[in-house]
Amino acid sequence: TVTLYATNASGTSTDILIVQVSNNVAPAAPSNLSEAVINTNHVQLNWTASANATTYTVKRSLNSGGPYQAIATGVTTNSYTDINPVPEKPNYYIVTALADTLESGISNEVSAVVPPGIPGKPDVTLGSNQLTLNWTPGDGAKTYNVKRSSVTGGPYTTIASGIAEIPGVESGRKR
């Protein structure tokens, strides 16, 4: 820290200049990276901060060991929530620390799997002795189960299971 003083007959004023000296050494890799699936479709990552790190980069891969793609840069805390993990597949994560442009080695790798996304609310079309249900697919869903109840809120009974991504037809009575 450098303090400058200027004095004249009217008085004294000061100004402070703070200089940060970089030692040109990358910070240590973040440690103790951990994961938790929250809200069924987000992945919360936490790690131990690295001394001298100014920011962190969070990277993800669908393969253990990489290659990894940065999903968040300039993270200034020691946690991050991935709100767009790939459903139904292992998502592998690492974190690196940065001090200006100097990047650390990688943290330990963690992985998490989130379930498929929720399908859209069905559109129902009444036909001759049948209902046709159409819905927008849930992200990552491979099959669907159709459940029915005679009252709002259930209990529900499964009437079709293992339906492929193409919306199906429910034969029988109107809900």
Side-chain angles (χ1 to χ4, degrees):
T1 303
V2 176
T3 304
L4 301 173
Y5 297 95
T7 305
N8 65 18
S10 298
T12 302
S13 64
T14 60
D15 197 4
I16 297 175
L17 171 65
I18 298 174
V19 178
Q20 184 174 357
V21 178
S22 174
N23 62 7
N24 211 25
V25 175
S31 59
N32 302 313
L33 178 61
S34 64
E35 91 296 328
V37 175
I38 57 173
N39 298 331
T40 71
N41 60 353
H42 297 147
V43 177
Q44 175 72 48
L45 302 168
N46 295 293
W47 58 90
T48 301
S50 300
N52 302 321
T54 53
T55 63
Y56 298 92
T57 298
V58 178
K59 300 177 183 183
R60 180 180 63 207
S61 177
L62 297 180
N63 300 301
S64 180
Y68 300 97
Q69 298 294 319
I71 59 169
T73 59
V75 177
T76 57
T77 62
N78 61 330
S79 68
Y80 176 77
T81 301
D82 183 2
I83 61 171
N84 293 307
V86 178
E88 293 288 296
K89 295 182 184 259
N91 289 257
Y92 296 93
Y93 298 92
I94 60 161
V95 177
T96 59
L98 287 98
D100 296 319
T101 60
L102 300 172
E103 187 172 22
S104 73
I106 64 172
S107 67
N108 57 298
E109 180 186 73
V110 296
S111 67
V113 177
V114 297
I118 299 170
K121 183 177 178 180
D123 290 323
V124 181
T125 305
L126 182 58
S128 177
N129 293 323
Q130 72 178 19
L131 295 175
T132 302
L133 304 173
N134 292 298
W135 59 86
T136 55
D139 190 25
K142 294 181 176 122
T143 62
Y144 299 88
N145 296 329
V146 177
K147 297 182 178 190
R148 174 176 58 198
S149 176
S150 59
V151 295
T152 301
Y156 295 95
T157 303
T158 300
I159 59 170
S161 62
I163 297 173
E165 284 190 37
I166 301 168
V169 173
E170 177 193 344
S171 295
R173 65 189 176 125
K174 184 177 174 183
R175 181 167 107 92

